Amino acid sequence: MNTINPMTILDRYLARAVLLGTVITLAIFIPLLSIIIFADQIDQIGTQNYGIWQVTQFVLFSLPRYGYQIFPLATLIGALAGLGNLASRSELVAMRAAGVSLGGMIRGALGGGVILAIAVVILGEGITPIAERHALALRSFAATGQAVQLTASGLWVRDGNAFIAVGEVLPNAHLRDILIYELDGTRLRYATHAESASYETDHWILNNVARSLIEPNQVRIEHHASQTWQSLLNPELLKLIIVEPHALSVWGIIRYIQFLQSSQQDASLYRVALWTKLVQPLLVLTMIFVSIPVLVGSARSTSLGARIFTGIPIGIAFYLISRTCTYLALLFGLNPAIAALLPPLLLIAAALWVLAHVNLR
């Protein structure tokens, strides 16, 4: 005869409460974010071909990035709402009276947190980078009228009778791995590859250039250490299509860091962004863990709304501490791993202290 472990049932029950609360919280936050993003884009309507439909697309493509950023806060509020609903019905008290340890309750809640941590990894690594590229392409077309295509392999843009492919777009108008295909009517005339490019006053400078002249019977190749490049490619356009570090995948950030190091540029911002993304799943679990001491200390005497509004200041405080650590890491050259890990560790320490001193009646 098969037996069912009651703790397994309880774990699933608590995990379901956390998941349901987080889903409901996100369902409330996402429309609010949509309205805010849409309102921010209203003044761009009518620029070039940027109409209502384009703004709507931009909003939809931007939502994954903002959703990724607020996911920890939504998890905290969702855990407080889901578990708080159980507390309001005295179910948590009944669990404690039945001999369920506090550790068992935390384990069940964190079971839902593991699923949410996996979801935030999928969102940050798979969905957000792709959606952000589409959003930036729309915005760049609205601002400059120059159509671009952002793909996983880089940037494509038309420049008169030439087509340009850029492997990587870096801050301060720096390009890497540039291919320029120049057409004579419908026939390919020149194919140029440059290792890197930078903008100087009113023109581009290509570095380590290989230029191929394609003739009917032969291909002639010229090599240049540097070469002037007159192009309609607008540096202001590049500012609009640079993906912010936190919207890149982990592998994308690592590639940027490697390039910056090879060119002896400061990669501190990207190192901090890398560790911030690596810590994001841990942060989701931390927020669920923090929700437990908020609930158990007053399982019957505090309303659900009061518990949720208790979580909001905690989330805001954590955000401020995280931003402060980020700025300190950039300003004083602190270890980015410490800057990313310190805020959640402080939050866990505070939660443990509360749990050790709370009166569980």
Side-chain angles (χ1 to χ4, degrees):
M1 180 177 179
N2 295 329
T3 60
I4 299 176
N5 185 349
M7 288 306 299
T8 301
I9 297 175
L10 181 60
D11 289 345
R12 292 177 180 175
Y13 188 64
L14 292 170
R16 190 182 303 115
V18 171
L19 290 172
L20 182 59
T22 303
V23 169
I24 292 174
T25 302
L26 288 171
I28 295 173
F29 278 3
I30 294 302
L32 293 176
L33 284 174
S34 302
I35 294 173
I36 293 172
I37 301 171
F38 189 89
D40 185 60
Q41 295 295 308
I42 286 180
D43 60 343
Q44 298 293 327
I45 294 177
T47 304
Q48 300 294 340
N49 295 320
Y50 201 53
I52 295 293
W53 172 237
Q54 286 73 25
V55 172
T56 302
Q57 291 182 79
F58 178 83
V59 171
L60 292 175
F61 286 133
S62 299
L63 283 177
R65 172 165 64 95
Y66 288 99
Y68 181 78
Q69 292 175 341
I70 68 166
F71 204 97
L73 178 59
T75 302
L76 174 60
I77 296 176
L80 288 172
L83 297 176
N85 188 42
L86 303 183
S88 64
R89 300 198 300 260
S90 299
E91 292 184 50
L92 296 184
V93 174
M95 293 177 192
R96 294 290 291 148
V100 178
S101 67
L102 186 58
M105 294 170 57
I106 294 174
R107 181 186 63 193
L110 289 179
V114 171
I115 298 175
L116 292 172
I118 294 173
V120 81
V121 170
I122 295 173
L123 179 63
E125 295 302 299
I127 300 175
T128 297
I130 297 173
E132 187 70 2
R133 286 197 294 267
H134 287 290
L136 294 177
L138 280 168
R139 187 176 67 176
S140 66
F141 182 71
T144 66
Q146 193 167 15
V148 300
Q149 180 66 44
L150 287 165
T151 69
S153 60
L155 163 72
W156 282 87
V157 61
R158 183 170 183 175
D159 183 8
N161 65 337
F163 292 87
I164 305 166
V166 180
E168 291 182 296
V169 181
L170 300 174
N172 301 320
H174 288 287
L175 310 178
R176 186 185 182 208
D177 190 18
I178 305 103
L179 286 168
I180 307 169
Y181 301 99
E182 298 176 66
L183 302 180
D184 182 6
T186 59
R187 186 171 68 88
L188 180 62
R189 182 62 173 169
Y190 295 98
T192 304
H193 177 266
E195 183 178 299
S196 62
S198 57
Y199 194 76
E200 304 287 345
T201 310
D202 60 350
H203 61 275
W204 292 90
I205 300 295
L206 301 177
N207 302 308
N208 296 330
V209 182
R211 181 178 174 86
S212 301
L213 172 60
I214 303 171
E215 298 179 338
N217 299 320
Q218 64 176 338
V219 176
R220 292 188 296 168
I221 303 177
E222 302 174 349
H223 294 275
H224 304 277
S226 63
Q227 189 176 37
T228 299
W229 177 36
Q230 297 290 345
S231 172
L232 298 176
L233 187 60
N234 190 343
E236 295 300 318
L237 169 68
L238 300 179
K239 293 179 182 179
L240 296 175
I241 61 176
I242 292 177
V243 181
E244 296 182 17
H246 59 260
L248 291 168
S249 65
V250 167
W251 175 239
I253 297 176
I254 291 174
R255 291 181 62 190
Y256 272 122
I257 292 174
Q258 291 173 342
F259 171 77
L260 293 173
Q261 289 177 333
S262 65
S263 57
Q264 298 182 341
Q265 299 183 60
D266 184 19
S268 300
L269 176 62
Y270 289 91
R271 291 194 188 96
V272 172
L274 174 62
W275 277 98
T276 300
K277 287 189 72 72
L278 292 175
V279 169
Q280 189 83 338
L282 172 63
L283 184 54
V284 169
L285 296 174
T286 300
M287 289 301 185
I288 295 175
F289 182 77
V290 168
S291 69
I292 302 298
V294 177
L295 294 168
V296 298
S298 54
R300 288 174 294 183
S301 61
T302 307
S303 67
L304 177 59
R307 294 188 189 98
I308 292 176
F309 281 104
T310 299
I312 293 176
I314 294 175
I316 294 174
F318 175 83
Y319 175 80
L320 294 175
I321 294 173
S322 298
R323 297 296 293 177
T324 300
C325 289
T326 298
Y327 287 128
L328 290 177
L330 295 174
L331 185 61
F332 298 107
L334 301 179
N335 189 309
I338 295 177
L341 287 169
L342 185 60
L345 291 178
L346 289 175
L347 208 57
I348 292 173
L352 288 172
W353 184 88
V354 173
L355 287 173
H357 292 81
V358 73
N359 181 16
L360 300 176
R361 292 191 298 268

